[in-house]
Amino acid sequence: MKKHDNIYANPLNKVADFKFDESVVDVFPDMIQRSVPGYESIIHTIGEVAKTVVTNNSKVYDLGCSLGAASLSVARATQDKQCEIIGVDSSEAMVERCKRVVQAFTLPNPITITKAMAQDIAIENASMVIMNFTLQFIPPADREALLHKIYQGLNPGGILLLSEKIRHPTIAGNELLIDLHHQFKRDNGYSELEVSQKRAALEKVMLTDTFSDHETRLKSAGFDDVVMWFKCYNFTSMVAIKA
């Protein structure tokens, strides 16, 4: 049974910057389901995309793998192909828990979980790279170089599946999307205090871009097309294609 997320349920004298520590890992499945609209659909579709793009004897990288949901979706969807799935996360607590999660499943394609920064991982012979709500936590100054490295490490026909919380380019439009997302969280049982304190915790940690920023940067890295396939409020998922 997944644990209930009540990290921000009580008033805090000082709201510390959000980090993926043991307390977050303990409640992560509940937190993500109640905070990110369409998360289960995104995870399912990652597997559906993998069926199409993952090729035999290639690698799949899941950068910012958290508890391995995307990696497992790929593993289930590619049982008729031979591939290596590499999950990477910078959080020690996430990595240790994720290793136990993936070991509970018997699937033909191995999933290797590694503790590292996405910026430090070599990408090679990749048919698919996944960044599922990861780039937004990487320093903006590092993002362009990371995307260039991913593009170079992808085989022709490979894709980057990138899910992100985005910022609308106008103030009024952005506030509308924020309000709708906060109501989504209230509808899922979060109190006004929890919504407020979580927003404060993320303010300096999760630095979002507009969709146009993402598209421009991906094309600058060399990707031929950027397809937004999912959007709900200020959450989106896109596929960047290497022709």
Side-chain angles (χ1 to χ4, degrees):
M1 180 183 292
K2 62 186 177 185
K3 294 184 180 179
H4 189 73
D5 172 24
N6 59 4
I7 292 175
Y8 297 101
N10 298 310
L12 300 171
N13 292 329
K14 181 182 179 182
V15 180
D17 287 348
F18 185 87
K19 58 183 179 179
F20 293 96
D21 57 15
E22 194 70 45
S23 65
V24 169
V25 172
D26 277 343
V27 300
F28 187 73
D30 182 64
M31 175 185 287
I32 203 82
Q33 187 175 38
R34 295 165 63 206
S35 300
V36 179
Y39 185 77
E40 290 184 1
S41 293
I42 292 171
I43 292 298
H44 173 75
T45 302
I46 286 171
E48 293 301 302
V49 172
K51 286 180 184 177
T52 303
V53 302
V54 173
T55 55
N56 274 313
N57 303 312
S58 68
K59 296 180 181 180
V60 176
Y61 293 85
D62 182 5
L63 305 180
C65 63
S66 60
L67 296 183
S71 292
L72 286 166
S73 184
V74 172
R76 294 186 185 104
T78 57
Q79 297 188 50
D80 60 335
K81 302 174 183 177
Q82 286 187 324
C83 66
E84 182 183 356
I85 302 167
I86 300 160
V88 179
D89 206 285
S90 62
S91 163
E92 182 75 40
M94 279 289 188
V95 166
E96 291 309 309
R97 189 72 58 88
C98 186
K99 286 178 180 178
R100 298 203 297 270
V101 170
V102 300
Q103 285 168 1
F105 295 89
T106 303
L107 294 163
N109 288 314
I111 301 175
T112 304
I113 306 300
T114 302
K115 181 184 181 299
M117 302 289 288
Q119 302 94 305
D120 298 332
I121 287 289
I123 307 292
E124 56 186 11
N125 186 30
S127 55
M128 183 176 188
V129 177
I130 302 157
M131 296 187 77
N132 204 35
F133 303 105
T134 301
L135 192 65
Q136 60 203 24
F137 291 105
I138 288 175
D142 294 348
R143 294 176 187 179
E144 188 168 355
L146 174 57
L147 294 176
H148 273 276
K149 180 177 71 171
I150 290 169
Y151 178 83
Q152 293 298 325
L154 279 166
N155 297 331
I159 65 106
L160 166 64
L161 192 144
L162 178 66
S163 306
E164 287 279 286
K165 185 178 182 181
I166 60 172
R167 186 181 72 255
H168 192 74
T170 68
I171 293 174
N174 197 53
E175 285 301 315
L176 170 64
L177 294 177
I178 289 171
D179 289 346
L180 287 168
H181 178 225
H182 286 173
Q183 188 56 49
F184 171 85
K185 295 175 83 169
R186 294 184 199 103
D187 291 343
N188 280 312
Y190 284 116
S191 67
E192 212 58 61
L193 177 67
E194 288 174 294
V195 171
S196 175
Q197 291 190 143
K198 178 73 172 291
R199 185 179 188 180
L202 286 167
E203 188 174 13
K204 296 178 183 177
V205 177
M206 187 172 68
L207 304 175
T208 58
D209 295 312
T210 66
F211 176 74
S212 178
D213 292 334
H214 285 293
E215 185 177 40
T216 299
R217 194 165 47 214
L218 288 163
K219 289 192 172 180
S220 175
F223 288 97
D224 298 271
D225 200 3
V226 181
V227 182
M228 182 194 292
W229 68 268
F230 175 90
K231 187 175 188 300
C232 185
Y233 309 144
N234 43 3
F235 290 80
T236 185
S237 190
M238 61 199 90
V239 171
I241 303 168
K242 181 174 181 175

